[in-house]
Amino acid sequence: MEKDANIESSPSRHFNRSSDDSITRNNKRRAIQFKAAHGLLIAFFLWIVISALHALGIYFFTKGFLLTRLVLDHISKCDSPPINLLGLSPGLYGAGCWYPKTFDKAIIIVIDALRYDFTVPPQGNPHHFHNALEVLYETAVQKPETAFLLPFIADPPTATLQRLKGLTTGTLPTFADVGSNFGGNAIEEDNLVAQLRAAGKTLVHLGDDTWHSLFPGYFDTNLTHAYDSFNVWDLHTVDNGVTEHLMPLLDAGSGQWDVIIGHYLGVDHAGHRYGPDHTAMNDKLKQMDCVIRDVVSALGDDTLLVVLGDHGMDTKGDHGGESDDEVEASLWMYSKKAIFGHGHNAMTKPPPSAKERSVGQIDLVPTLALLLGLPIPFNNLGSPISEAFVGPGQAKWKELAAVNALASAQIQRYQDEYSAARGLSRDTFSAAHTLWEAALTVWKDTADNAASVREAFAAFSQHQTENLRVCKSLWARFDIPSMLYGITILGCAVVILAFYARATTPFRAEDSALFVRQVMLSAALGLALGLFIGSWNAAPGSLDSSLLGIAGGSVVGFAYTMAVFPNGYPIPFPTSTWGWLSVLLTVLQAVGFASNSFTIWEDEILLFFLGTFAFISLTGSLRQKAPEDRALGSFQSSFFLVLTRIASISRLCREEQMPYCRSTYYSSATSSTSASWQLFIPYTLSMVLPSLIKGYLQRTRSYAGSAILWIGVVLRMGLLASAIYWTLDAADNNDWLNINKDTLLFAKTSLAQLTLGIAFVAGTTYYVWATPCISIELPPQENGTADPGGAATSKPKSMNVLGYGNMHGSRYLLLITNWVLAIILLQKPMGGGSIGILTLQILALLEIIDSNDLSRSAIGPVTLGMLGNFHFFKTGHQATLSSIQWESAFIALKTIRYPWSPLLVVLNTYGAQIITAVAAPLVVLWKQPPRKKGLLGDVAMAVATYILYFAVINLATTMWAGWLRRHLMLFRIFCPRFMTGAAALLVVDLVGIFVAIGGSRWNLISVNQVFGWA
């Protein structure tokens, strides 16, 4: 236990005015020096870590790694069919441009996330999503000449914006597009909506406002009604709004419109909020069933009705990846005219599963274009859906061959233009070109030989399949030089951080001035050189050259400063067993990411590593000479291990872990809501967590001053408010209370806003102005005496300062509790429990570090980094896009608001890493005396080591993603892990610099203003 300070007052202190003035001037001078050093330290981290290295390294690698394609601006014209159909191409919009049109009008209903098994009878035990939306299967079975239902396979990523691009252009969205899912740019390449508009059609859109981001100004402003698409907690507003405006348009006749696009979101939102196997999903599917039946009743003979899902959803209702459940959507077409058929394959019923007779989503584009008498969009790669053209009864092979000839001819025209634009050799498409020539030869013979028509259809289909394969391989080409630039820059960042954080001769905070000055000069010279080199290239090349110049100049500047450093050339080499353990734990993780099994089971690997640390720390503590250190270290090591095992109970399994993993984070593996019993967790936290934090502070008598109010009252009340919030949320999900939904929503968001206000506004203000967590004890006999007039006649000669030995640590802990309170609110109850355990593990780690004298060792920051990543998984996340908890954006908001909604998602996703980043300075502040010299430099060292851990992990995931770029599991495992690691690195960079190092400023100023500057 730390001893309290007994401070004796000097008599001369009260009578020597000049001495007091000298001390005051000295303190002011040192305060100014501290603030200047702190500012330069922030500048150093910002320039080296953020501007020049991490951000630029991630930018260059991402630019070369995430797939892109060249978009051609060519437009298909009505009067320019790609092939002569032997007189079957009218060339006029009225009759059909390239092929005689079948319908004048169309209603396209998108039911977001309509998975195929939602629409067909169950093959085993029924779930809530079965036997609810029955009209699609029913009509396809009873009237196959008027309706057909097929599996509709999406190309990943399965995000709505990317799917809408594929559904309207017929092209394959690339992985890089996923970043724009909630703010996509307008589609400028040829597409169905543009072709409809060019044909003079009146377009009406109802529902998801993503359509307006992609097609601004295309829809009739008087009839169109768009709704916010991001509020996943709202199941009814969009759906009710679409139906409210759709049915009057049908009842009033079709004179006002030509094409209606209605995009329902309730099924998708029910999946996100509750999971697919929930009564809410059953209700939404039944609602869709009623809507479709009403539309069918009001449909005109010349109108085509299309119902489709843009993607599916996984077992807990999320999407974004490429699992079977996420890509298997549904497609249903209906017409009152008997024009559909199955004569080409004799399938009279819809496939029982999505593994049979599926069609690609890009196939919808040529199908709708030809049915509505439009040109096929120029960049289309899809094939006409045979059921829409084969006709009822006996198969009409000539019609099938004709539409496939048009599709192949347009694909071949696109192929020729794309090859010319990219400068591709003829060999690239040689196999596809050979198939095209063969199919064309067969097609020309059909005029004289009717028996060859079926062969022509098969030949064109084979050509389309081969061309699609080649295009997929083309768009999977990587920019290797750009990837190498990124890896090199990130590698340099690791080296720089290693020298700065773990040098054998520690840097002082004041040394940052040397680095900042030289780095800025070198970066400026690098920028100038980059601009000069880039001036010989096109605009994009100039930008990249400039950025490379900045990065290269920064690295050279740092290296030069190291070479001429006044105190010699420091080496980042471990000098102790604990140092080597830190390196071993980090390197083993970095190497392990080369294995897909390691990446899949990363949460269990981290559990093993943390358990190993706890066991080694227990062994080390038992060897301590001082009985108090031995007892304290042993107990806290055991406590740390027990907490780690308890935290491991919270688990969200990814698909690849099944069936060897059982999810416990939600109420079930197919749900997105918490179990009722989990509500006990936040209430338990509100009672236990403040008391346990108080216990740690009481060991050093630091539970005094500012800590009493904030931890004993405010933190406890804030945690209780969080518990009440999640109780109201459960009541809303399960209809426990007979209260208006709007009233309940207002109560929830108000309570959440109040809690976040306490944590960030009141908490930050309190932290900045708080006094040290100490109390003063005066000996009774030295309280002084007073004369009859009340004036003191003597001063006490000494006083006890309780909490003196942990003055820095106890006060800085207040900042951490602010972030803990906010992030617990933003996690579901199970995740909140995990964050509470993380808080106690941090405190246990601090005691382990103190009892083993490890404050300057790398093991503290590295263990914090492992804790952050471990609890990332324990708060219901995985390194997959589908595990992002988008609903957290609405915990404190009713609608999406920028930038607050994305910030709430970031706090939810990376909450554990954020807390451990904020806690990094505590490794060197815990149980340190007030006037210890070089504390700011120690804080910088601890934060730099913490960031170094994440930098190594990010470098490893980046390198392995690049090396394994042809791996079958690249975009399922390695790419999402790279993206997760890159985002985590940038988050901890920002938090470490602005919150951890920035927050240390107020802590050091507050303490030193009381006890003077060292």
Side-chain angles (χ1 to χ4, degrees):
M1 181 181 297
E2 293 292 319
K3 294 189 178 296
D4 303 312
N6 183 276
I7 300 178
E8 295 184 359
S9 60
S10 172
S12 63
R13 178 74 183 274
H14 307 289
F15 301 104
N16 192 335
R17 176 73 64 179
S18 61
S19 176
D20 284 351
D21 291 343
S22 175
I23 293 174
T24 301
R25 287 194 302 269
N26 186 54
N27 280 332
K28 287 183 178 181
R29 178 176 57 82
R30 292 186 178 180
I32 293 173
Q33 291 174 343
F34 166 81
K35 293 176 182 178
H38 183 272
L40 288 170
L41 189 64
I42 293 287
F44 169 77
F45 273 88
L46 278 177
W47 187 261
I48 294 296
V49 177
I50 301 297
S51 302
L53 298 178
H54 286 167
L56 289 182
I58 292 170
Y59 162 75
F60 277 106
F61 183 83
T62 302
K63 178 175 176 288
F65 178 70
L66 294 185
L67 307 182
T68 58
R69 63 182 175 87
L70 176 65
V71 176
L72 302 182
D73 57 3
H74 297 65
I75 306 294
S76 294
K77 301 295 184 182
C78 184
D79 56 0
S80 304
I83 189 174
N84 182 6
L85 279 184
L86 307 179
L88 291 178
S89 296
L92 299 171
Y93 280 118
C97 289
W98 296 356
Y99 188 79
K101 70 177 181 179
T102 308
F103 299 98
D104 293 321
K105 301 177 181 296
I107 299 173
I108 302 171
I109 294 179
V110 181
I111 301 178
D112 208 288
L114 183 63
R115 206 168 71 190
Y116 183 71
D117 57 344
F118 292 1
T119 64
V120 294
Q123 294 183 283
N125 295 327
H127 298 276
H128 285 103
F129 51 78
H130 285 129
N131 304 320
L133 179 53
E134 300 178 308
V135 62
L136 308 184
Y137 184 84
E138 177 185 300
T139 52
V141 171
Q142 296 176 359
K143 298 179 179 180
E145 71 282 358
T146 65
F148 65 85
L149 173 64
L150 293 174
F152 199 38
I153 306 303
D155 295 295
T158 49
T160 294
L161 183 140
Q162 284 66 41
R163 293 292 80 244
L164 295 186
K165 286 183 177 181
L167 287 167
T168 54
T169 64
T171 58
L172 301 174
T174 58
F175 204 94
D177 290 334
V178 77
S180 60
N181 189 42
F182 302 103
N185 296 324
I187 295 179
E188 297 179 354
E189 62 184 306
D190 198 8
N191 60 81
L192 269 179
V193 178
Q195 289 289 350
L196 286 166
R197 190 184 186 194
K201 303 290 186 181
T202 300
L203 308 180
V204 177
H205 168 258
L206 307 170
D208 186 346
D209 60 356
T210 305
W211 288 85
H212 290 264
S213 299
L214 299 177
F215 307 104
Y218 281 64
F219 302 105
D220 185 287
T221 56
N222 296 321
L223 302 177
T224 291
H225 300 274
Y227 297 86
D228 176 25
S229 61
F230 197 34
N231 189 351
V232 296
W233 280 15
D234 185 351
L235 274 60
H236 307 295
T237 299
V238 177
D239 289 6
N240 293 342
V242 174
T243 304
E244 176 187 352
H245 295 99
L246 174 62
M247 299 315 299
L249 288 174
L250 300 182
D251 295 339
S254 57
Q256 295 178 287
W257 54 270
D258 294 298
V259 175
I260 298 176
I261 300 173
H263 194 142
Y264 288 87
L265 292 173
V267 170
D268 179 69
H269 289 184
H272 283 300
R273 183 169 180 180
Y274 301 104
D277 197 12
H278 191 275
T279 55
M281 180 63 74
N282 185 271
D283 293 340
K284 293 308 300 183
L285 291 172
K286 286 182 177 178
Q287 180 187 6
M288 294 298 98
D289 186 85
C290 294
V291 168
I292 295 171
R293 292 182 189 275
D294 291 342
V295 173
V296 167
S297 300
L299 201 67
D301 292 341
D302 63 342
T303 304
L304 171 68
L305 175 59
V306 181
V307 176
L308 61 92
D310 56 342
H311 50 74
M313 63 176 67
D314 63 16
T315 55
K316 59 184 185 61
D318 296 319
H319 57 88
E322 55 178 318
S323 67
D324 289 347
D325 284 340
E326 291 171 274
V327 302
E328 294 172 352
S330 306
L331 172 67
W332 180 75
M333 285 191 177
Y334 176 84
S335 166
K336 289 195 171 180
K337 296 188 291 186
I339 63 166
F340 301 138
H342 305 273
H344 63 297
N345 58 19
M347 292 184 64
T348 58
K349 291 184 178 182
S353 74
K355 303 298 185 291
E356 304 175 39
R357 181 53 192 127
S358 60
V359 296
Q361 292 197 348
I362 59 175
D363 296 342
L364 181 68
V365 173
T367 303
L368 286 183
L370 297 176
L371 288 175
L372 295 174
L374 302 171
I376 298 175
F378 191 88
N379 297 334
N380 166 73
L381 298 174
S383 305
I385 298 173
S386 298
E387 283 80 355
F389 299 98
V390 70
Q394 188 174 0
K396 297 179 181 179
W397 292 107
K398 186 164 187 175
E399 282 74 5
L400 273 182
V403 295
N404 278 275
L406 280 170
S408 282
Q410 177 53 44
I411 289 173
Q412 188 63 32
R413 182 155 65 176
Y414 167 75
Q415 179 190 107
D416 293 340
E417 294 293 339
Y418 190 86
S419 297
R422 285 283 304 270
L424 301 176
S425 67
R426 188 174 181 83
D427 294 339
T428 304
F429 287 97
S430 59
H433 188 76
T434 301
L435 290 171
W436 164 247
E437 295 290 349
L440 197 60
T441 300
V442 176
W443 169 251
K444 290 178 179 178
D445 293 339
T446 59
D448 301 319
N449 184 5
S452 64
V453 174
R454 185 169 183 174
E455 183 182 350
F457 162 69
F460 285 126
S461 298
Q462 190 177 3
H463 165 256
Q464 294 156 19
T465 301
E466 172 62 19
N467 190 82
L468 183 60
R469 184 195 66 79
V470 174
C471 287
K472 285 183 176 180
S473 66
L474 279 176
W475 296 336
R477 290 187 175 181
F478 302 89
D479 182 357
I480 303 299
S482 182
M483 293 167 60
L484 290 176
Y485 293 151
I487 291 173
T488 302
I489 294 171
L490 291 173
C492 290
V494 168
V495 173
I496 289 175
L497 280 171
F499 271 99
Y500 187 86
R502 307 314 313 167
T504 51
T505 303
F507 291 104
R508 301 173 303 161
E510 295 81 359
D511 296 332
S512 300
L514 300 174
F515 291 104
V516 171
R517 182 173 59 251
Q518 187 59 52
V519 163
M520 292 185 66
L521 176 60
S522 300
L525 293 175
L527 173 61
L529 179 61
L531 288 172
F532 175 75
I533 296 174
S535 63
W536 297 93
N537 301 321
S542 177
L543 174 63
D544 288 352
S545 297
S546 302
L547 295 177
L548 284 173
I550 293 174
S554 299
V555 173
V556 171
F558 185 90
Y560 174 80
T561 307
M562 293 289 294
V564 299
F565 196 70
N567 296 331
Y569 190 82
I571 304 297
F573 199 77
T575 57
S576 67
T577 302
W578 287 105
W580 281 111
L581 178 63
S582 305
V583 173
L584 181 64
L585 291 174
T586 305
V587 171
L588 284 177
Q589 292 180 72
V591 173
F593 287 116
S595 165
N596 58 336
S597 298
F598 182 99
T599 307
I600 290 169
W601 292 98
E602 184 181 357
D603 51 348
E604 297 298 316
I605 302 296
L606 286 169
L607 173 63
F608 171 76
F609 282 172
L610 289 171
T612 300
F613 163 77
F615 178 79
I616 294 175
S617 67
L618 175 60
T619 303
S621 298
L622 290 173
R623 299 175 61 186
Q624 294 299 310
K625 295 180 179 180
E628 185 177 356
D629 288 338
R630 187 164 56 246
L632 178 63
S634 301
F635 174 78
Q636 296 298 336
S637 297
S638 303
F639 188 45
F640 185 95
L641 180 60
V642 170
L643 290 174
T644 303
R645 299 302 306 183
I646 294 174
S648 68
I649 296 173
S650 176
R651 184 183 301 112
L652 177 68
C653 303
R654 57 187 293 164
E655 182 187 15
E656 295 84 358
Q657 292 177 328
M658 306 303 289
Y660 307 105
C661 178
R662 186 175 68 87
S663 293
T664 59
Y665 189 77
Y666 297 107
S667 59
S668 70
T670 59
S671 174
S672 293
T673 58
S674 300
S676 299
W677 69 266
Q678 292 175 344
L679 290 177
F680 289 102
I681 296 175
Y683 285 102
T684 302
L685 276 181
S686 67
M687 293 183 291
V688 174
L689 185 59
S691 299
L692 291 178
I693 295 175
K694 173 184 175 181
Y696 276 95
L697 292 178
Q698 284 180 329
R699 285 188 51 81
T700 55
R701 300 192 181 186
S702 300
Y703 189 68
S706 305
I708 295 176
L709 174 61
W710 193 254
I711 295 175
V713 179
V714 179
L715 177 62
R716 192 182 300 276
M717 292 300 100
L719 292 173
L720 181 60
S722 176
I724 295 173
Y725 172 89
W726 286 108
T727 302
L728 293 175
D729 181 72
D732 186 17
N733 291 337
N734 298 284
D735 296 323
W736 291 345
L737 303 175
N738 187 21
I739 299 177
N740 181 271
K741 292 288 186 180
D742 292 336
T743 303
L744 198 56
L745 178 62
F746 175 79
K748 287 167 52 182
T749 55
S750 298
L751 192 59
Q753 290 171 5
L754 175 63
T755 305
L756 292 176
I758 291 173
F760 288 133
V761 180
T764 302
T765 303
Y766 192 82
Y767 171 76
V768 169
W769 295 104
T771 57
C773 302
I774 58 174
S775 59
I776 306 299
E777 184 180 84
L778 298 177
Q781 68 275 18
E782 296 185 1
N783 285 339
T785 59
D787 62 19
T793 59
S794 64
K795 298 288 185 180
K797 295 181 179 179
S798 65
M799 60 182 176
N800 291 326
V801 181
L802 305 183
Y804 181 90
N806 193 24
M807 196 175 301
H808 287 290
S810 60
R811 190 189 182 283
Y812 187 83
L813 184 62
L814 300 179
L815 178 62
I816 298 176
T817 59
N818 297 341
W819 289 86
V820 167
L821 173 58
I823 290 172
I824 284 178
L825 169 71
L826 297 176
Q827 306 291 336
K828 291 184 183 294
M830 200 74 168
S834 173
I835 296 298
I837 291 175
L838 170 62
T839 307
L840 297 177
Q841 284 182 292
I842 291 172
L843 291 170
L845 175 64
L846 297 175
E847 296 289 6
I848 293 171
I849 290 171
D850 173 66
S851 61
N852 289 271
D853 193 21
L854 299 172
S855 63
R856 298 193 61 83
S857 171
I859 194 63
V862 168
T863 305
L864 282 176
M866 290 193 299
L867 282 173
N869 282 342
F870 177 69
H871 285 276
F872 167 82
F873 296 103
K874 301 301 109 181
T875 51
H877 299 96
Q878 285 283 351
T880 59
L881 293 174
S882 59
S883 70
I884 299 175
Q885 299 172 22
W886 299 110
E887 66 273 18
S888 60
F890 301 96
I891 289 178
L893 300 169
K894 296 180 181 179
T895 59
I896 182 171
R897 292 183 183 178
Y898 293 100
W900 310 116
S901 296
L903 283 176
L904 292 177
V905 175
V906 170
L907 289 172
N908 169 273
T909 305
Y910 296 105
Q913 288 98 330
I914 289 172
I915 289 175
T916 51
V918 177
L922 264 185
V923 172
V924 295
L925 294 178
W926 192 253
K927 293 186 178 179
Q928 297 298 331
R931 293 174 57 83
K932 181 181 178 180
K933 292 185 178 181
L935 269 182
L936 182 58
D938 291 345
V939 167
M941 179 191 69
V943 173
T945 305
Y946 177 86
I947 294 176
L948 174 61
Y949 168 82
F950 283 92
V952 172
I953 297 300
N954 176 65
L955 176 62
T957 57
T958 302
M959 291 174 59
W960 294 126
W963 181 258
L964 300 170
R965 61 189 180 277
R966 298 297 179 187
H967 196 282
L968 181 64
M969 293 293 178
L970 174 65
F971 291 109
R972 193 163 187 163
I973 296 175
F974 297 108
C975 182
R977 186 60 186 89
F978 150 69
M979 297 174 69
T980 302
L985 175 61
L986 294 178
V987 168
V988 300
D989 279 344
L990 293 171
V991 174
I993 294 170
F994 291 107
V995 182
I997 297 179
S1000 299
R1001 169 193 177 100
W1002 305 110
N1003 197 76
L1004 295 172
I1005 288 176
S1006 174
V1007 173
N1008 289 323
Q1009 281 179 341
V1010 175
F1011 291 91
W1013 293 85

